[in-house]
Amino acid sequence: MSTSKESDELRRLALSVLQPGFVGTEAPDWVLRAIADGLSSVVLFSRNISSPQQVARLTRQLRAENPSLIIAIDEEAGDVTRIESSTGSTRPGSFALGAVDDVALTESVSRDLARELHAAGVTLDYAPSADVNSNPDNPIIGVRSFGVEPDRVARHAAAWIRGLQSGGVAACAKHFPGHGDVAVDSHHGLPRYDADLDTIAAQALPPFRAALEAGVRAVMSAHLLVPAYDEHVPATLSSRILGGLLRKELGFDGLIVTDAIEMGAVTGRYGIEGATVRAVVAGADAVCVGGENAEEATVGLLAGALAGAVRSGELAEARLAEASRRVREFADWSTGLAGSVPVDPVHGDIGFAAARRAVRVSGETDGVLPLAAAPHVVELVPTTNLAIGKETPWGVAVPLRERLPGTTFVRVDQQQLSDRPEAVDEHALAPATGRPLVVVVRDAARNKWMGRALADLAAARPDAVVVEMGLPDDSGAGAVRIFTHGATAASGVAAAEVLIGGHAR
């Protein structure tokens, strides 16, 4: 074989293990060329989506270059949504489903999502989160988890996988070996999970074991340090965790895909090229990239880094070939899975029904609910992590105003309150004089500024109704408290219905 042919084959192998994103609602020429040159996967983000019909055209355009192309999306159908990023998800998220604790409902919701994704041409969904949110201060998981108990998360992760895959879309359990007990956002820094082996086995691993038993064929690694297994490198870059724990101990033989490789937890120390090479050396089969770095140059850089690592001896060519084989096997399986399910673009009302079932109300409602008049709504707005689209709407005020004309509202964030503490009086309390006050929060217990603002508002208006759209807490602020267990559009509608006289447990 000539040197040129060897180089071409090595580049094809390197391209085949990348899962890049791109910009635009049509496939750029460079992506089509890369597919022709060996790229086996692409990832869609909200920037690639304007309508279901447009996504279907885009995926047909991509798949014309390779009928077995893996087309992935990071769609949790909760606060993290791509397919509905401009409107908010019409389904509740994982924590809400866990609160209902009806595995048949969870399976129905994920199957409903699968019908939408399948009709749009998506074959792999980076969901569900199999993380147990055991740390209430976790800045990255929260309501993306099905709950705080391993057993609950395990049964609902398995149900989600069954529902999604019965609808023709492959699932991906994340973030292995468990991202629930951390206090650092891995987009920016390196979290640590300092539990011992027995605690990890009891707390973090049961949902992943359940996912494997449910037939999941893809697992996403976590960018976090787990010293009980590897004191030196994050899970994504650790052969002890990917090869030892996941492959040998748990017996997983499917596709290992990295969390976004440009995240600070791995690039801060190794750079994007070094992290990519180290991940494949450690046992990852596919490298997700492009949430933030979505240019042709990035794909060229990473393909070149992998090929260069083979030439230098840092990465064994056999390991790269093995990763490429696993990608190809997964592509063939997921294509067959998609082909076994009829296309059905119509989804039902299961998402809104599920969101209604997830709402809980505490406090004495007599004389408070339903609202006797159009209220003033104050929404306290947190800074969300990078997994949640900044463009994705959330809240209760808009759906409430649609149902109760005359409703007014204001949104207040931490910076506004810091700059002008009197904003609470001017924009929250004064407009609510003589009418009901509804205060909407999102993880008030974790966002200390929000908790203080809520306490001030409740002290001034003890008759206020508080809607918590994040993790529930027991602060007791407000005359009545409504818990939605997530901030999706469906959850906002469910809360609005309770405010005007609907029913919740």
Side-chain angles (χ1 to χ4, degrees):
M1 181 182 291
S2 70
T3 301
S4 175
K5 286 184 178 179
E6 290 174 348
S7 179
D8 289 346
E9 181 56 31
L10 193 53
R11 175 175 165 76
R12 289 189 70 85
L13 280 177
L15 281 172
S16 72
V17 304
L18 300 179
Q19 295 195 337
F22 56 90
V23 177
T25 54
E26 295 184 0
D29 289 342
W30 71 262
V31 171
L32 300 178
R33 289 195 302 271
I35 296 171
D37 290 343
L39 186 70
S40 300
S41 315
V42 297
V43 185
L44 302 183
F45 293 91
S46 56
R47 62 184 175 232
N48 305 120
I49 296 167
S50 63
S51 71
Q53 296 77 18
Q54 168 269 321
V55 180
R57 289 194 301 271
L58 172 60
T59 57
R60 285 195 298 269
Q61 181 189 17
L62 290 164
R63 203 160 273 125
E65 300 294 328
N66 175 6
S68 296
L69 184 73
I70 299 168
I71 299 180
I73 195 169
D74 187 15
E75 174 57 60
E76 298 176 15
D79 291 11
V80 177
T81 180
R82 309 300 178 218
I83 203 75
E84 296 184 292
S85 64
S86 63
T87 59
S89 177
T90 53
R91 304 169 182 91
S94 296
F95 202 79
L97 293 171
V100 178
D101 200 14
D102 179 346
V103 292
L105 179 68
T106 296
E107 189 168 338
S108 295
V109 170
S110 64
R111 186 181 300 112
D112 183 61
L113 171 65
R115 282 198 289 268
E116 185 173 4
L117 297 179
H118 180 251
V122 172
T123 53
L124 169 62
D125 185 10
Y126 294 147
S129 167
D131 307 295
V132 180
N133 197 64
S134 48
N135 184 345
D137 290 326
N138 192 321
I140 187 65
I141 302 301
V143 296
R144 300 169 65 191
S145 168
F146 287 106
V148 300
E149 307 101 346
D151 289 349
R152 184 185 303 250
V153 176
R155 60 180 174 266
H156 286 280
W160 176 279
I161 290 162
R162 290 193 300 269
L164 197 72
Q165 295 191 165
S166 69
V169 178
C172 177
K174 62 184 184 186
H175 307 79
F176 188 83
H179 215 301
D181 191 9
V182 302
V184 172
D185 183 344
S186 50
H187 288 93
H188 306 296
L190 179 60
R192 291 175 61 97
Y193 180 25
D194 283 318
D196 59 29
L197 292 177
D198 289 343
T199 300
I200 293 170
Q203 180 187 67
L205 296 184
F208 289 98
R209 293 184 184 277
L212 268 57
E213 292 172 4
V216 80
R217 298 281 290 272
V219 171
M220 177 176 282
S221 65
H223 299 334
L224 79 166
L225 200 66
V226 190
Y229 282 98
D230 195 323
E231 298 179 2
H232 305 293
V233 295
T236 293
L237 314 181
S238 172
S239 60
R240 295 177 184 176
I241 292 175
L242 300 187
L245 176 58
L246 183 54
R247 290 282 188 222
K248 292 180 182 177
E249 184 175 331
L250 300 190
F252 181 61
D253 194 39
L255 184 77
I256 299 177
V257 58
T258 71
D259 205 347
I261 205 66
E262 63 261 53
M263 289 165 64
V266 290
T267 59
R269 181 173 178 181
Y270 304 103
I272 193 169
E273 297 161 274
T276 296
V277 170
R278 286 170 176 265
V280 177
V281 169
D285 306 305
V287 177
C288 174
V289 65
E292 299 169 65
N293 299 71
E295 307 82 17
E296 178 182 8
T298 299
V299 173
L301 182 72
L302 299 189
L306 289 167
V310 171
R311 296 189 188 98
S312 71
E314 182 182 1
L315 171 61
E317 185 170 358
R319 166 80 272 268
L320 183 60
E322 177 192 41
S324 181
R325 172 183 61 79
R326 290 189 189 277
V327 171
R328 185 171 60 253
E329 290 174 348
F330 181 85
D332 291 342
W333 172 77
S334 59
T335 300
L337 179 68
S340 68
V341 176
V343 174
D344 179 12
V346 178
H347 66 82
D349 194 35
I350 186 67
F352 287 99
R356 293 181 186 107
R357 289 183 62 186
V359 174
R360 302 290 183 267
V361 177
S362 69
E364 181 52 60
T365 60
D366 288 348
V368 180
L369 297 180
L371 296 174
H376 183 58
V377 181
V378 180
E379 296 184 335
L380 300 178
V381 182
T383 299
T384 54
N385 62 66
L386 287 176
I388 299 172
K390 303 300 182 189
E391 75 284 355
T392 304
W394 68 277
V396 176
V398 172
L400 182 58
R401 185 173 59 179
E402 291 171 352
R403 290 158 176 78
L404 192 56
T407 296
T408 58
F409 72 95
V410 64
R411 305 199 105 195
V412 182
D413 61 29
Q414 182 178 11
Q415 189 62 51
Q416 289 172 292
L417 287 185
S418 177
D419 292 344
R420 298 185 68 253
E422 63 272 22
V424 169
D425 290 328
E426 293 178 4
H427 301 298
L429 294 174
T433 301
R435 54 198 294 215
L437 174 65
V438 177
V439 184
V440 182
V441 293
R442 190 172 179 180
D443 289 321
R446 191 172 61 79
N447 292 284
K448 303 307 180 187
W449 72 269
M450 188 182 296
R452 290 191 296 270
L454 174 60
D456 290 343
L457 287 166
R461 285 288 303 266
D463 62 331
V465 178
V466 176
V467 182
E468 171 60 83
M469 303 194 78
L471 294 176
D473 68 82
D474 56 1
S475 72
V480 172
R481 296 178 65 81
I482 299 171
F483 302 101
T484 62
H485 302 92
T488 71
S491 298
V493 167
E497 291 173 344
V498 171
L499 288 166
I500 64 172
H503 299 283
R505 290 195 291 169

